[in-house]
Amino acid sequence: MNKIGVIFDLDGVIVDTAKYHFLAWKDLAGQLGFEFSEAQNELLKGVSRVRSLEILLGIGKVELTKAQKQEYLISKNEHYLEYIHKMGPEEILPGAIELLDKLDELGIKYVLGSASKNAPLILKQVNLLSRFSGIVDGNSVSTAKPDPEVFLIGAQKLNLKPEQCVVFEDAIAGVEAANRAAMLSIGIGDKITLKEADFNFNNLTEIPENFFSEMVLGKI
């Protein structure tokens, strides 16, 4: 029997807050005098808030002082939080509850490994906070994905070695971080974009019924 644990990214895997990030960043771009598209928003997936602002400013060819950047980061987050406080359980992505139920049934513990500094609040809003054995978020790490720090801390919270951990990710940077941590990576989303993942599924509803039971038995 293999003892395993699971680490979930949040945005795009358990819930979809990317749309709220996009609206908040789009509003900020408007304040700075340029347009920001959904296609460009893909560049911000899985990266830190500070790095996201740098990418946004690069798109708009806007230069700001360090103080101005900090002001805009605070403003963007306040706008984003307005959306988050309106979230409810109906925003949990398809297949997520069923997967958590299956892991509970098999006695497999799971934690969250997210770049979001608002992860605890989001889980609370959708009534999932108590289900996770631990949370590693943007407040817990010093380096962002693709650095594996967030997942290595997650393994510590699970009391497992990195190679015993399975990571669910929807971003290239997240998949790379999982791979660098020597963990099994499962890409959720476009299979071409996430081609470096060990397994790929369009969404959590595609996870086979016996996927984790066979993994525990050492068949995967």
Side-chain angles (χ1 to χ4, degrees):
M1 297 284 283
N2 293 333
K3 186 173 183 181
I4 61 171
V6 178
I7 306 175
F8 287 99
D9 180 38
L10 180 62
D11 298 344
V13 177
I14 301 296
V15 295
D16 181 17
T17 58
K19 57 189 175 186
Y20 301 133
H21 280 296
F22 169 63
L23 290 172
W25 286 122
K26 183 177 175 64
D27 179 70
L28 177 53
Q31 293 178 44
L32 294 170
F34 64 93
E35 291 292 323
F36 181 62
S37 69
E38 288 191 58
Q40 291 168 327
N41 189 58
E42 290 296 308
L43 299 172
L44 309 189
K45 287 182 70 174
V47 301
S48 69
R49 193 183 307 166
V50 172
R51 178 58 186 147
S52 293
L53 178 61
E54 292 173 352
I55 294 171
L56 185 80
L57 295 176
I59 290 170
K61 295 180 174 57
V62 174
E63 292 188 9
L64 298 176
T65 65
K66 188 174 181 179
Q68 287 174 319
K69 288 179 182 178
Q70 191 58 36
E71 288 178 10
Y72 279 118
L73 282 172
I74 293 171
S75 173
K76 181 269 173 182
N77 194 52
E78 288 175 346
H79 193 182
Y80 171 68
L81 287 175
E82 290 176 9
Y83 292 112
I84 295 305
H85 279 289
K86 298 174 184 176
M87 289 182 71
E90 70 280 355
E91 300 215 41
I92 298 172
L93 290 171
I97 294 294
E98 291 79 4
L99 179 54
L100 297 186
D101 288 345
K102 173 58 69 174
L103 294 175
D104 289 342
E105 179 187 321
L106 294 170
I108 297 173
K109 290 187 176 181
Y110 45 90
V111 299
L112 195 78
S114 170
S116 173
K117 291 188 175 182
N118 301 302
L121 171 61
I122 294 168
L123 287 180
K124 182 179 178 181
Q125 287 295 117
V126 299
N127 296 337
L128 288 180
L129 183 60
S130 63
R131 298 198 61 169
F132 285 80
S133 297
I135 295 174
V136 187
D137 62 9
N139 299 298
S140 312
V141 297
S142 58
T143 50
K145 303 170 188 176
D147 188 280
E149 181 186 17
V150 62
F151 294 141
L152 293 174
I153 295 174
Q156 291 173 5
K157 287 185 177 291
L158 289 166
N159 293 315
L160 295 173
K161 296 177 181 178
E163 57 267 29
Q164 293 175 290
C165 298
V166 180
V167 173
F168 281 85
E169 262 289 352
D170 77 317
I172 295 173
V175 169
E176 182 181 341
N179 292 342
R180 287 172 62 181
M183 299 178 179
L184 188 78
S185 55
I186 301 180
I188 301 299
D190 182 72
K191 295 179 181 181
I192 296 175
T193 302
L194 303 174
K195 63 182 183 296
E196 296 301 321
D198 295 309
F199 292 89
N200 292 96
F201 302 101
N202 289 314
N203 55 63
L204 296 182
T205 66
E206 293 186 358
I207 308 296
E209 175 71 20
N210 61 349
F211 187 80
F212 279 99
S213 56
E214 290 198 351
M215 191 177 292
V216 169
L217 292 172
K219 295 181 180 180
I220 294 180

